[in-house]
Amino acid sequence: MIEQNTTSSLNDEITTTSSKKLLSTPIALIQLILFSAIGLVMFFVPFTIGEKSTILFDHGATYLVTQQHTLSVALLFLLMLYGVSKPFIDGSWRTNITHMIMTTFKVIGLMLAVMYVADLAPAFMMEKDMLPFLFEKLALPVGMIVPLGALILAFLVGFGLLEMVGVLMQPIMKPIWKTPGSSAIDAVASFVGSYSIGLLITNRVYLQKQYSAREAIIIATGFSTVSAAFMVIVAKTLGLMEFWNVFFWSTLVITFIVTAITARIPPISLFDDHVERPALDHKGGTRLAAAFDLGLSTSRRATDLKQILWSNFRDGLTMAAAIVPSIIAVGLTGLLLAKYTPVFDALGLLLYPFTWLGGLPEPLVAAKGMSAGLAEMFLPALLLSEADILTRYVAGVISISSVLFFSAMIPCVLATEIPISVGKMVVIWFERVVLSILLAAAFGQLAMHLNWIG
């Protein structure tokens, strides 16, 4: 007997299922195999072009940034103008104090970008590791990669592969992560899609009383990390693209191991776990057959390729527009704090015992850089981009597996009905970083010994 998960909420985000004629089974099967294969190749198979080995859509984004620099700068400013104006157009800037603060950072980020391009910024901001680095090495690649990555993700999440993976993961969800089998799709969507879509699904299912408060918090703080497209940015910044598959899959595993641990310790373990879940339907047959049936039925409903691609691309544009200006503002704030104040030195002291225990060559420097991830998930990559390979690898894992950060993720959680405070999210962030440092350092040293990285 195979438990049937609540896939309709995710399908609503990806495909329009209203009274459209379904595809025939043979066509749906071809679509499932072909488009899933395209997504897997585009995301996980490196190709060498011009002596550079990386995944295909990263080649495309790099071409835009390097060979079409003027065009990419123009596109970036259009994105930022949209991201800055949207909160004022829809009125979301006055929703609460968090939205007001983040909208202010977006405005400041746009102003800083204009000052950089016009060469009007103060000298201390124009040092090569400040605005030039943020704009050229971070904002531009993010602005190009995230929409392209979202477009490619449509092939992974729009035609049944995601649902198949979700069903196959059901037996391990409850015993390992303390969440119901129906959260498998949610967890995978959050990791390979985007935290905004993942949180949207989590909040919706929580409001439908199919998740307890504890389950919703586990998923929101443990699975809703940045998308694979953002992982490419982190890997590029840290010089890890040569080892992309090792970095991606080890980060995924470490993130999920950390989530399994934090689900069992305070503060998450203290949240209410009571839920009167509606009875779920069951389907006979093997799990593999059930996964195939669900994937095929999803592919049959995916009748409008253009709409699926546009919907994902639009989500990527919206996300890039929202995060690029805040990355510049929050990133510059973090870099200035790291360079001219002892803020991250103090926070880094709390992490120092663990970077030392993990065997990182410069544990205090590493701890200081990784502590900056609380402000913005890219800051560890920015601050440690010139470090040794082990520290860079661990910093890359931390950027993803810590999940929570103030420039975007924490405000997104606060915008949902999931009952968790800022203070408890900070505690969870610290727990996740500590565990991630120890696990990533251990795996990184093993990978170096086996010549997987280095």
Side-chain angles (χ1 to χ4, degrees), residues 176-221:
I176 296 179
W177 291 291
K178 302 291 186 181
T179 58
S182 57
S183 68
I185 286 179
D186 195 342
V188 176
S190 298
F191 201 95
V192 304
S194 73
Y195 60 82
S196 57
I197 292 176
L199 283 174
L200 179 67
I201 299 168
T202 304
N203 189 52
R204 182 179 301 173
V205 178
Y206 173 67
L207 292 176
Q208 292 171 348
K209 301 188 184 303
Q210 295 188 48
Y211 290 160
S212 68
R214 187 190 302 174
E215 290 167 348
I217 290 166
I218 291 170
I219 296 166
T221 64

Side-chain angles (χ1 to χ4, degrees), residues 358-406:
L360 301 188
E362 296 184 84
L364 188 57
V365 173
K368 176 183 174 182
M370 293 170 192
S371 68
L374 181 60
E376 160 58 48
M377 57 81 58
F378 281 119
L379 285 179
L382 295 179
L383 295 171
L384 299 171
S385 61
E386 302 297 325
D388 62 278
I389 183 65
L390 178 60
T391 299
R392 282 185 281 130
Y393 168 75
V394 175
V397 174
I398 296 299
S399 295
I400 310 304
S401 65
S402 59
V403 175
L404 298 161
F405 53 98
F406 273 106

Side-chain angles (χ1 to χ4, degrees), residues 227-266:
S227 71
F230 278 93
M231 292 180 69
V232 173
I233 300 292
V234 171
K236 282 172 67 69
T237 303
L238 291 165
L240 299 174
M241 282 305 296
E242 184 181 351
F243 323 106
W244 164 249
N245 276 301
V246 173
F247 174 68
F248 178 89
W249 293 109
S250 63
T251 300
L252 184 147
V253 171
I254 289 170
T255 299
F256 284 2
I257 291 174
V258 170
T259 299
I261 297 171
T262 55
R264 290 167 165 78
I265 60 177

Side-chain angles (χ1 to χ4, degrees), residues 145-159:
I145 283 180
V146 171
L148 287 176
L151 185 65
I152 303 304
L153 276 171
F155 294 102
L156 291 179
V157 304
F159 301 97

Side-chain angles (χ1 to χ4, degrees), residues 184-451:
I185 286 179
D186 195 342
V188 176
S190 298
F191 201 95
V192 304
S194 73
Y195 60 82
S196 57
I197 292 176
L199 283 174
L200 179 67
I201 299 168
T202 304
N203 189 52
R204 182 179 301 173
V205 178
Y206 173 67
L207 292 176
Q208 292 171 348
K209 301 188 184 303
Q210 295 188 48
Y211 290 160
S212 68
R214 187 190 302 174
E215 290 167 348
I217 290 166
I218 291 170
I219 296 166
T221 64
F223 297 126
S224 300
T225 188
V226 296
S227 71
F230 278 93
M231 292 180 69
V232 173
I233 300 292
V234 171
K236 282 172 67 69
T237 303
L238 291 165
L240 299 174
M241 282 305 296
E242 184 181 351
F243 323 106
W244 164 249
N245 276 301
V246 173
F247 174 68
F248 178 89
W249 293 109
S250 63
T251 300
L252 184 147
V253 171
I254 289 170
T255 299
F256 284 2
I257 291 174
V258 170
T259 299
I261 297 171
T262 55
R264 290 167 165 78
I265 60 177
I268 292 180
S269 64
L270 301 179
F271 281 92
D272 179 32
D273 197 33
H274 175 73
V275 60
E276 295 181 2
R277 224 182 314 270
L280 298 174
D281 296 330
H282 289 76
K283 180 182 178 71
T286 67
R287 184 166 299 279
L288 185 61
F292 176 76
D293 287 345
L294 183 57
L296 190 61
S297 65
T298 301
S299 183
R300 293 192 68 194
R301 291 193 295 273
T303 58
D304 192 339
L305 175 61
K306 289 188 293 185
Q307 174 58 32
I308 293 171
L309 293 176
W310 167 244
S311 176
N312 278 268
F313 184 61
R314 182 188 60 210
D315 289 344
L317 288 173
T318 301
M319 177 175 290
I323 202 165
V324 166
S326 63
I327 281 174
I328 294 176
V330 177
L332 182 63
T333 302
L335 290 174
L336 291 173
L337 288 173
K339 189 168 185 176
Y340 296 110
T341 76
V343 170
F344 292 124
D345 290 318
L347 189 55
L349 288 175
L350 297 175
L351 296 177
Y352 170 71
F354 306 101
T355 53
W356 174 82
L357 191 61
L360 301 188
E362 296 184 84
L364 188 57
V365 173
K368 176 183 174 182
M370 293 170 192
S371 68
L374 181 60
E376 160 58 48
M377 57 81 58
F378 281 119
L379 285 179
L382 295 179
L383 295 171
L384 299 171
S385 61
E386 302 297 325
D388 62 278
I389 183 65
L390 178 60
T391 299
R392 282 185 281 130
Y393 168 75
V394 175
V397 174
I398 296 299
S399 295
I400 310 304
S401 65
S402 59
V403 175
L404 298 161
F405 53 98
F406 273 106
S407 69
M409 182 61 190
I410 289 175
C412 284
V413 176
L414 293 175
T416 70
E417 298 299 319
I418 299 170
I420 185 169
S421 65
V422 172
K424 288 180 180 177
M425 280 192 276
V426 171
V427 173
I428 295 168
W429 168 86
F430 182 77
E431 292 174 346
R432 295 191 65 88
V433 171
V434 167
L435 292 167
S436 298
I437 288 171
L438 297 176
L439 290 170
F443 178 80
Q445 293 184 60
L446 175 63
M448 291 173 65
H449 178 72
L450 296 173
N451 291 319

Side-chain angles (χ1 to χ4, degrees), residues 77-234:
F77 271 98
L78 288 175
L79 275 176
M80 288 194 290
L81 284 169
Y82 172 62
V84 169
S85 61
K86 188 174 183 294
F88 296 102
I89 293 172
D90 61 22
S92 61
W93 71 273
R94 50 178 180 247
T95 302
N96 53 45
I97 188 64
T98 302
H99 279 78
M100 292 180 186
I101 293 171
M102 295 312 302
T103 301
T104 301
F105 271 117
K106 289 177 184 177
V107 174
I108 294 172
L110 177 59
M111 293 171 60
L112 289 170
V114 171
M115 291 167 64
Y116 167 73
V117 171
D119 198 19
L120 296 174
F124 73 92
M125 291 186 185
M126 294 299 286
E127 295 177 14
K128 66 177 183 179
D129 59 346
M130 292 293 174
L131 274 182
F133 186 87
L134 286 168
F135 189 90
E136 302 289 350
K137 302 298 184 183
L138 188 56
L140 266 182
V142 167
M144 301 304 107
I145 283 180
V146 171
L148 287 176
L151 185 65
I152 303 304
L153 276 171
F155 294 102
L156 291 179
V157 304
F159 301 97
L161 179 64
L162 185 68
E163 285 75 9
M164 291 176 65
V165 172
V167 172
L168 294 174
M169 285 179 65
Q170 280 182 0
I172 64 174
M173 294 303 294
K174 192 67 176 180
I176 296 179
W177 291 291
K178 302 291 186 181
T179 58
S182 57
S183 68
I185 286 179
D186 195 342
V188 176
S190 298
F191 201 95
V192 304
S194 73
Y195 60 82
S196 57
I197 292 176
L199 283 174
L200 179 67
I201 299 168
T202 304
N203 189 52
R204 182 179 301 173
V205 178
Y206 173 67
L207 292 176
Q208 292 171 348
K209 301 188 184 303
Q210 295 188 48
Y211 290 160
S212 68
R214 187 190 302 174
E215 290 167 348
I217 290 166
I218 291 170
I219 296 166
T221 64
F223 297 126
S224 300
T225 188
V226 296
S227 71
F230 278 93
M231 292 180 69
V232 173
I233 300 292
V234 171

